[in-house]
Amino acid sequence: MVLPDGFSIPPLPVLLVLFVALAIVGGALYRRKPPVTRHLVVAFAPWMVVGSSLYVLYQIEGLPSAIAPLFSSPTVYGSTFIIAGAIWAVSADRPADEWSLRSTPGILAATGQLGIVLVAGTTLAIGGSEGGLMLFWPAVGLLITCVLAALVWAGIRVGLPDIATTTGSAGALVVFGHTLDGVSTAVGIDALGFGEQTPLSRAIIEFAAALPTADLFGTVWLFVLVKVALATVVVAFLAETVRESPREGYLLLALIAAVGLGPGAHNLLLFTVLG
């Protein structure tokens, strides 16, 4: 299997609606060419969590059937970007390098946080009403992530100060997102008995499970190490791109952050409602 479990292609009418909406939003952003800064990358972080929460809501069948296909995997990524991208396009003429409700990052972050409250709140309410919520292990995973990501970023700041200065908060978000993905996967598999959906990740975990260290450290320690190491390497690699072409560099950092933070946030919320 090449594609992750749960990957599905929605009906053709849904795809057409999605492509048309993406084209409209993408066209608006192309025409306006808004600046891309490290503030903007961080401002999209709440929207990454919104997308993850929408997918969990889809998985627990908490969405109306008419719109549910828009939030399956992988269409949820496009659907979420349409909403966030439209807000970005509308606010593109505002300052992009400051934090305030008058700036583009401030508007994106505020609306994303509101989205988290609405979507994640609805998900938790449905999960709580159907069987209660399991909070302990997701909280442990989040705490470990914060500590480990802070240590890794501190190490980058000491050992690679130019890279830390160049990428700033955007680089820190990449490290945090992929640490969260690795740690949440470890919690799900070793503590809660969940399985890994992505074939490549599953192969790494199965390899670690066959090592003598499995009984002592669990089966996912190698996956966590790989995720943290790859995040560090990617941040170091993209630092030069950020220096030479900030727009492209920060867009790439945002994309890399999303593929870590999104799955990690999804894991914690899913464990909370199904654990």
Side-chain angles (χ1 to χ4, degrees):
M1 180 179 289
V2 176
L3 299 176
D5 296 340
F7 188 101
S8 63
I9 303 298
L12 182 59
V14 174
L15 282 177
L16 290 176
V17 169
L18 192 67
F19 285 147
V20 169
L22 282 171
I24 293 173
V25 172
L29 289 170
Y30 179 79
R31 289 193 301 273
R32 307 204 70 177
K33 292 183 170 57
V36 182
T37 64
R38 65 181 63 179
H39 293 79
L40 192 77
V41 175
V42 176
F44 269 106
W47 282 102
M48 300 171 194
V49 178
V50 170
S52 302
S53 302
L54 283 167
Y55 183 45
V56 175
L57 195 56
Y58 166 82
Q59 288 177 295
I60 65 173
E61 300 180 351
L63 291 167
S65 57
I67 64 170
L70 289 170
F71 303 105
S72 62
S73 178
T75 53
V76 65
Y77 302 112
S79 299
T80 304
F81 178 77
I82 288 168
I83 302 170
I87 296 171
W88 185 17
V90 169
S91 62
D93 58 342
R94 296 173 179 266
D97 56 355
E98 65 179 53
W99 287 111
S100 74
L101 289 179
R102 297 186 303 272
S103 69
T104 302
I107 292 171
L108 276 169
T111 52
Q113 290 166 15
L114 178 61
I116 292 174
V117 171
L118 294 175
V119 180
T122 300
T123 305
L124 292 172
I126 293 174
S129 65
E130 292 184 351
L133 301 176
M134 198 280 293
L135 300 175
F136 176 75
W137 282 111
V140 169
L142 182 58
L143 177 60
I144 294 174
T145 295
C146 291
V147 173
L148 181 56
L151 290 174
V152 171
W153 187 246
I156 293 174
R157 293 184 64 180
V158 172
L160 304 167
D162 290 344
I163 289 170
T165 301
T166 300
T167 59
S169 53
L173 181 65
V174 171
V175 171
F176 176 83
H178 284 271
T179 303
L180 179 64
D181 187 18
V183 171
S184 65
T185 299
V187 168
I189 292 176
D190 283 339
L192 299 176
F194 281 82
E196 172 56 40
Q197 292 184 330
T198 307
L200 180 58
S201 301
R202 190 160 55 233
I204 296 173
I205 293 167
E206 290 173 353
F207 175 77
L211 297 176
T213 55
D215 291 337
L216 183 61
F217 298 109
T219 62
V220 198
W221 66 269
L222 182 61
F223 178 69
V224 176
L225 181 62
V226 168
K227 291 289 290 185
V228 172
L230 282 177
T232 303
V233 169
V234 168
V235 170
F237 179 77
L238 289 179
E240 185 64 27
T241 304
V242 171
R243 280 190 287 265
E244 295 180 355
S245 181
R247 181 183 181 83
E248 287 73 15
Y250 283 127
L251 283 174
L252 287 171
L253 284 173
L255 178 61
I256 299 300
V259 299
L261 180 58
H266 165 269
N267 289 344
L268 292 188
L269 185 57
L270 186 68
F271 300 160
T272 301
V273 297
L274 295 183

